[in-house]
Amino acid sequence: MKLEALPWILLFLPLCAAGIITLFTLRSQKLSAGLSIGAIVSGFVLAIALIKSGGWEAREFSLNWLSIGNLNVDFGLRLDALSLMMLLIVTGVGSVIHIYSYGYMHEDEGFSRFFACLSLFTFSMLGIVLANNFLQLFIFWELVGVSSYLLIGFWFDKASAADASKKAFLTNRIGDFGFMLGILTVFAVVGSLNFAVIQEQFKANPALMGGSATLAGLLIFCGAMGKSAQFPLHVWLPDAMEGPTPVSALIHAATMVAAGVYMLCRVVFLFTPEALTVISWIGGFTALLAALIAVQQNDIKRILAYSTLSQLGYMVMAVGLGGAGAAMFHLTTHAFFKALLFLGAGSVIHAMHHEQDIWKMGALRKKMPVTFWTFLVGTLALCGVPPFSGFYSKDAILAQAWHAHNYPLFVIAVSVAVLTAFYMFRLFFVVWVGDVRSAEAGHAHESPGVMIWPLRALVVLALFGGVLGINEIFAAQFSAAEHAEASEHGLTLLQRIAEPFTNAPVAAGIGIIATLIGFLTARGLYATAKSDPLTSKLGWMSRAMANRFYFDEIYEATVIRIHDLAGTISNWIDSWIIEGLCIGVVRGGTDLTGRALRLVQTGNLQTYAFLFVLGVAVVLWLTLGK
């Protein structure tokens, strides 16, 4: 098989699986699951084969797709360090989630439909990862939106799930509208949609877009604000928890929310310093806002959802600070430990008969030992405890802020690290330690092997992912000098372990202290707590955090009200001005003219003779009268 065929097969395998399941195998659960799981596992194997055969070097495969005047668009696949690592994340972590789903969803009536949607989602995300031009990326971008709509609202008979899917879909359309305008702006100036061509033109002429460069960059960032749920378009992601837990893991770890950060890194050369400043501050604010909200959430999946929001803010902030490599490094490790945490939460929910309130759990470590230890590893990785993977990628972002001398954002990043350790160990102590708080917790049991083995596989990546050299791979994409230095000297395992302390010792030390402060505070408040002590201590602030700072209510009172008012006014104008007056006058005049002409057409010979004579008389009068 030729090398050129591998990426095409990898891309279309999940689509074929989705089509076959939908058309032929819906009644066979095992066959449907086998097709879906087989497609994504095969994709993972093909991704490894691509890296093995061609390394991390950039290359493209394309076919002419569209030619209209000066517009020439290829359907192309771009392989480089950025896309190849994303292929491993999407297919690797996705494979684990697919296998886990077989056990989690085995009693669901829509089992086969679920796997068809998973495969469609995987195909859409792979299309984003492999796209070599803006038009192709935007098409797959919208397919991801459709796929997320289907999966978030999978249990469509629940009103909350149906509403959540619509909320996610519509919120993303707002960001995508700005994204589309940004793409059109770039095309109008550059004349190409291909990433490599655009990048070459920007290298040759950095001032190519002139005064529109910042605006175009911010419009493109709007797309990332929607997909990666950045303020003010962050409100859809927590509600996406209404979908099945494997969907939450897939969205939060390997697909949808990763798409926004990936897109920013793919086109980072487009952003001016002014645009990057805006991006960094929106990311920092989102990280802090989401971390504060997570502190007072009681739903185990919502806590993890706001954690994802916060970590995405970290990544976006890193991009804005000029650290696209650090952002992608954290995106990669985050995929490992966040998938582990969500699947661990799913194991808990499965054992608790779908109870998600952490205050109805407790002492589960004795009932579910494997889930307990794997969840602990995910928690330590997310909190950035060395030597877990999250420590290295989080430190890369802290170091980026420190080296950029952006101390306000560095303080925000450290504050988020404190809050992250606090709310995650709050969750840990309440769920796993203490006393049994409900009958469901008392009767909980360990999940079956098909759900447990994926957790064990992810533990390895969550533990060692930070020292596998992933950051060096991304250095090849974003920093040629750094990559050349790393390639020349070659980092040993010991050097990788110690790298945070040699690269930015102050940032690494402060990050560890921040995590320790969060842990000690959480242990003091929640190790033996029977209810949340912060509710009384914080008062109105606790209520504000629990109610997500009332953003949904604010949007309901402003944006939605204004939208409804604009719709009402538009409807009145359409009904009375356009339809009633403008079109009505034309329609009414035509109708009256027709009625008058019908009076003439009587079918009576005497009337026709009279009109003929009258017409002749009028003509004679007009002629002879002159």
Side-chain angles (χ1 to χ4, degrees):
M1 183 183 295
K2 291 185 178 180
L3 177 64
E4 290 81 358
L6 294 183
W8 297 99
I9 296 172
L10 191 156
L11 173 61
F12 286 105
L13 266 177
L15 179 62
C16 292
I20 293 171
I21 293 170
T22 303
L23 295 175
F24 303 111
T25 69
L26 282 177
R27 295 184 180 181
S28 175
Q29 293 190 352
K30 289 186 178 180
L31 186 55
S32 297
L35 285 168
S36 183
I37 294 170
I40 193 166
V41 171
S42 299
F44 180 62
V45 174
L46 289 175
I48 295 175
L50 281 171
I51 297 169
K52 191 75 175 175
S53 59
W56 302 97
E57 298 303 319
R59 52 203 186 274
E60 287 193 10
F61 309 96
S62 61
L63 301 170
N64 186 262
W65 177 31
L66 185 66
S67 295
I68 303 175
N70 294 327
L71 176 63
N72 291 291
V73 181
D74 291 337
F75 191 98
L77 309 181
R78 180 175 176 82
L79 300 178
D80 54 18
L82 186 61
S83 60
L84 287 168
M85 182 57 72
M86 280 298 296
L87 283 182
L88 292 178
I89 295 171
V90 175
T91 57
V93 176
S95 294
V96 173
I97 295 170
H98 275 63
I99 295 169
Y100 177 96
S101 299
Y102 185 85
Y104 190 88
M105 299 293 293
H106 73 282
E107 294 181 353
D108 197 281
E109 294 180 357
F111 184 91
S112 296
R113 175 169 59 90
F114 177 79
F115 275 96
C117 292
L118 278 187
S119 291
L120 179 63
F121 202 175
T122 303
F123 165 71
S124 304
M125 187 62 196
L126 289 174
I128 289 177
V129 170
L130 291 170
N132 74 339
N133 63 80
F134 267 122
L135 179 58
Q136 186 178 330
L137 183 144
F138 188 77
I139 291 171
F140 282 105
W141 192 269
E142 296 305 304
L143 277 175
V144 165
V146 173
S147 304
S148 66
Y149 173 80
L150 295 173
L151 285 170
I152 294 170
F154 179 76
W155 290 320
F156 53 82
D157 52 338
K158 288 173 54 180
S160 57
D163 291 341
S165 63
K166 288 185 287 186
K167 185 176 183 179
F169 189 81
L170 294 174
T171 304
N172 274 274
R173 297 295 71 71
I174 297 172
D176 293 350
F177 180 69
F179 187 28
M180 181 175 63
L181 293 178
I183 293 172
L184 292 173
T185 303
V186 171
F187 176 71
V189 176
V190 180
S192 176
L193 294 170
N194 185 277
F195 298 135
V197 174
I198 297 172
Q199 187 170 10
E200 286 300 320
Q201 293 198 32
F202 267 84
K203 282 184 179 179
N205 181 13
L208 178 65
M209 296 195 65
S212 63
T214 300
L215 176 61
L218 292 177
L219 286 172
I220 287 173
F221 175 58
C222 286
M225 288 174 65
K227 282 289 184 290
S228 291
Q230 297 298 287
F231 174 85
L233 301 180
H234 65 286
V235 291
W236 70 268
L237 188 57
D239 289 349
M241 297 302 96
E242 292 294 337
T245 300
V247 172
S248 304
L250 197 62
I251 289 176
H252 286 251
T255 54
M256 186 170 180
V257 298
V261 176
Y262 170 80
M263 184 271 289
L264 290 180
C265 295
R266 170 59 73 197
V267 299
V268 69
F269 55 85
L270 283 174
F271 300 113
T272 63
E274 294 78 12
L276 290 173
T277 300
V278 174
I279 291 171
S280 64
W281 277 100
I282 288 179
F285 180 77
T286 304
L288 182 60
L289 174 70
L292 286 170
I293 296 174
V295 167
Q296 284 295 277
Q297 298 301 306
N298 296 324
D299 184 309
I300 187 171
K301 286 173 65 176
R302 284 189 181 272
I303 295 171
L304 296 179
Y306 279 107
S307 168
T308 300
L309 265 179
S310 185
Q311 299 304 305
L312 288 169
Y314 259 152
M315 300 172 207
V316 172
M317 183 183 75
V319 174
L321 290 170
M328 287 302 301
F329 185 24
H330 196 54
L331 185 151
T332 305
T333 62
H334 179 265
F336 302 152
F337 57 72
K338 187 51 64 71
L340 175 59
L341 287 169
F342 264 109
L343 297 187
S347 180
V348 172
I349 294 167
H350 182 269
M352 291 286 296
H353 303 287
H354 297 281
E355 176 59 62
Q356 297 183 194
D357 189 343
I358 61 174
W359 293 102
K360 294 182 180 178
M361 300 177 187
L364 292 182
R365 72 185 188 281
K366 300 175 183 177
K367 308 278 187 179
M368 309 175 67
V370 177
T371 305
F372 165 72
W373 287 109
T374 54
F375 197 92
L376 176 60
V377 170
T379 301
L380 294 172
L382 173 57
C383 295
V385 176
F388 296 88
S389 61
F391 166 71
Y392 293 93
S393 56
K394 183 191 75 174
D395 176 77
I397 295 175
L398 293 177
Q400 188 69 36
W402 183 262
H403 290 318
H405 304 294
N406 196 322
Y407 300 117
L409 280 178
F410 179 78
V411 171
I412 289 176
V414 171
S415 302
V416 172
V418 174
L419 291 170
T420 301
F422 177 78
Y423 66 69
M424 282 308 300
F425 280 105
R426 169 184 180 262
L427 166 63
F428 179 81
F429 285 122
V430 173
V431 171
W432 300 105
V433 188
D435 300 323
V436 175
R437 299 186 183 89
S438 67
E440 290 84 357
H443 295 96
H445 55 82
E446 190 60 273
S447 298
V450 71
M451 296 173 63
I452 291 302
W453 279 105
L455 299 180
R456 289 173 171 146
L458 288 169
V459 159
V460 177
L461 294 172
L463 181 55
F464 300 111
V467 293
L468 296 178
I470 295 171
N471 53 330
E472 297 167 33
I473 293 171
F474 288 126
Q477 183 79 17
F478 300 108
S479 177
E482 181 183 343
H483 174 59
E485 182 180 351
S487 300
E488 181 180 351
H489 297 92
L491 295 179
T492 65
L493 178 61
L494 187 60
Q495 288 174 320
R496 288 174 181 168
I497 293 173
E499 187 176 11
F501 304 99
T502 57
N503 181 37
V506 175
I510 293 175
I512 293 173
I513 293 171
T515 300
L516 185 61
I517 291 172
F519 165 73
L520 293 174
T521 307
R523 189 182 69 170
L525 288 171
Y526 294 101
T528 58
K530 298 185 183 301
S531 60
D532 196 338
L534 281 186
T535 304
S536 58
K537 292 179 182 295
L538 296 180
W540 67 269
M541 186 65 174
S542 172
R543 292 190 295 275
M545 289 189 287
N547 288 285
R548 303 176 282 187
F549 290 112
Y550 304 102
F551 274 102
D552 287 311
E553 289 78 4
I554 292 171
Y555 287 170
E556 179 73 33
T558 55
V559 176
I560 295 177
R561 289 281 181 88
I562 293 171
H563 175 273
D564 291 345
L565 178 61
T568 302
I569 294 173
S570 298
N571 182 63
W572 185 88
I573 292 173
D574 180 66
S575 300
W576 293 96
I577 305 299
I578 298 176
E579 175 73 18
L581 182 60
C582 299
I583 298 178
V585 168
V586 176
R587 184 181 62 239
T590 304
D591 184 57
L592 289 174
T593 303
R595 288 176 182 274
L597 290 174
R598 280 201 301 273
L599 293 176
V600 176
Q601 301 297 327
T602 63
N604 189 307
L605 186 59
Q606 292 177 326
T607 302
Y608 292 156
F610 171 75
L611 291 174
F612 177 75
V613 173
L614 182 62
V616 171
V618 170
V619 171
L620 290 173
W621 180 77
L622 291 173
T623 304
L624 299 176
K626 295 181 179 180

